[in-house]
């Protein structure tokens, strides 16, 4: 069984997934990192040189690959849910956590790593985040098994909630990840 994190950009997927993996002594996998490794280029460069459609094609390949693994923690790029086949593959052997945050929080967090997210462009506003988020929400909700709001919460608080949910769902599961 894999533990999968989905959600809009800057909702905390990477920090949470890394910490959950560390606590449960499981392998952390990131679809974005897998794409970068495969293409040997950064994500902004892939978008710039080959376009979004190419990026989505490679993303689908890596989602397929990672979904076949077992017992890993998967940090999904924000657009993974746009393709139903991706969601189906992830669900086959995974429990899906949707991380949410308010547009304001997303905007503030994403300003810190400006330039790494081509879909937000160089001069984006909260309105831009709101527009893209409202288009994406139905996809996120459809894919999610559990929803956690990360607004105003520390990494530790969110991680504890994830582990609590896993504990309720998986019989015999404990914080050390033994099940
Ligand atoms: C994307 C999110 C990014 C990355 C790419 C596209 C999206 O990942 O995959 O820039 O479509 O939402 P993060 O959600 O990790 O920022």
């Amino acid at each position: 069984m894999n533990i999968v994190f989905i959600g809009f950009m800057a909702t905390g997927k990477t920090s949470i997934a890394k910490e959950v993996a560390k606590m449960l002594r499981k392998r952390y996998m990131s679809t974005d990192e897998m794409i970068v490794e495969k293409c040997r280029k950064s994500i902004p460069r892939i978008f710039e040189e080959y376009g979004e459609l190419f990026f989505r094609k490679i993303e689908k390949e890596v989602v397929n690959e990672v979904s076949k693994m077992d017992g890993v923690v998967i940090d999904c790029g924000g657009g993974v849910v746009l393709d139903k086949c991706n969601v189906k593959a992830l669900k086959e052997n995974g429990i899906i956590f949707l991380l949410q945050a308010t547009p304001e929080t997303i905007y503030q967090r994403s300003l810190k790593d400006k330039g790494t997210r081509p879909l937000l462009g160089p001069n984006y506003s909260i309105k831009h985040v709101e527009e893209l988020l409202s288009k994406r929400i139905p996809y996120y909700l459809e894919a999610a098994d559990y929803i956690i709001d990360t607004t105003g919460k520390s990494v530790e608080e969110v991680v504890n909630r994830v582990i609590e949910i896993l504990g309720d769902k998986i019989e015999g599961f404990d914080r050390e990840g033994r099940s």
Side-chain angles (χ1 to χ4, degrees):
M1 181 78 140
N2 295 324
I3 302 167
V4 183
F5 290 94
I6 60 164
F8 199 76
M9 294 169 266
T11 47
K13 288 168 297 187
T14 302
S15 320
I16 304 300
K18 280 187 173 162
E19 197 52 35
V20 167
K22 201 168 122 193
M23 280 193 72
L24 303 181
R25 295 194 208 102
K26 291 184 183 293
R27 187 164 168 205
Y28 164 84
M29 298 298 300
S30 147
T31 60
D32 282 350
E33 278 180 12
M34 290 170 81
I35 295 167
V36 169
E37 267 167 40
K38 228 178 170 124
C39 299
R40 299 189 186 184
K41 286 181 198 287
S42 70
I43 288 176
R45 261 224 115 72
I46 298 169
F47 270 76
E48 203 181 295
E49 289 183 22
Y50 309 113
E52 184 176 348
L53 273 181
F54 175 83
F55 175 85
R56 297 298 173 204
K57 184 175 156 271
I58 307 295
E59 187 172 58
K60 190 169 181 163
E61 285 173 18
V62 306
V63 167
N64 235 319
E65 252 174 70
V66 81
S67 299
K68 290 193 186 110
M69 295 180 172
D70 194 26
V72 297
V73 178
I74 309 173
D75 171 13
C76 294
V80 157
V81 294
L82 299 175
D83 187 323
K84 278 199 169 130
C85 298
N86 288 344
V87 177
K88 190 168 172 272
L90 289 163
K91 264 193 191 294
E92 258 160 38
N93 186 32
I95 167 168
I96 303 193
F97 288 91
L98 166 62
L99 300 185
Q100 287 189 316
T102 61
E104 173 67 32
T105 308
I106 291 170
Y107 177 70
Q108 292 301 339
R109 284 184 191 157
S110 59
L111 283 180
K112 286 184 208 139
D113 33 38
K114 222 177 168 190
T116 60
R117 296 188 168 101
L119 288 182
L120 290 179
N123 293 310
Y124 58 97
S125 58
I126 295 197
K127 196 162 173 285
H128 185 102
V129 170
E130 277 168 352
E131 277 169 11
L132 191 55
L133 184 60
S134 68
K135 280 191 206 139
R136 293 271 183 95
I137 281 174
Y139 293 91
Y140 291 131
L141 294 179
E142 165 95 30
D145 292 315
Y146 295 95
I147 303 173
I148 303 177
D149 193 343
T150 66
T151 305
K153 294 204 181 94
S154 66
V155 170
E156 198 192 355
E157 281 172 310
V158 179
V159 169
N160 282 340
R161 182 70 194 119
V162 169
I163 290 177
E164 197 177 74
I165 292 170
L166 288 171
D168 288 344
K169 184 176 158 63
I170 304 167
E171 211 181 306
F173 174 93
D174 66 21
R175 286 179 77 89
E176 268 63 56
R178 295 181 293 254
S179 55

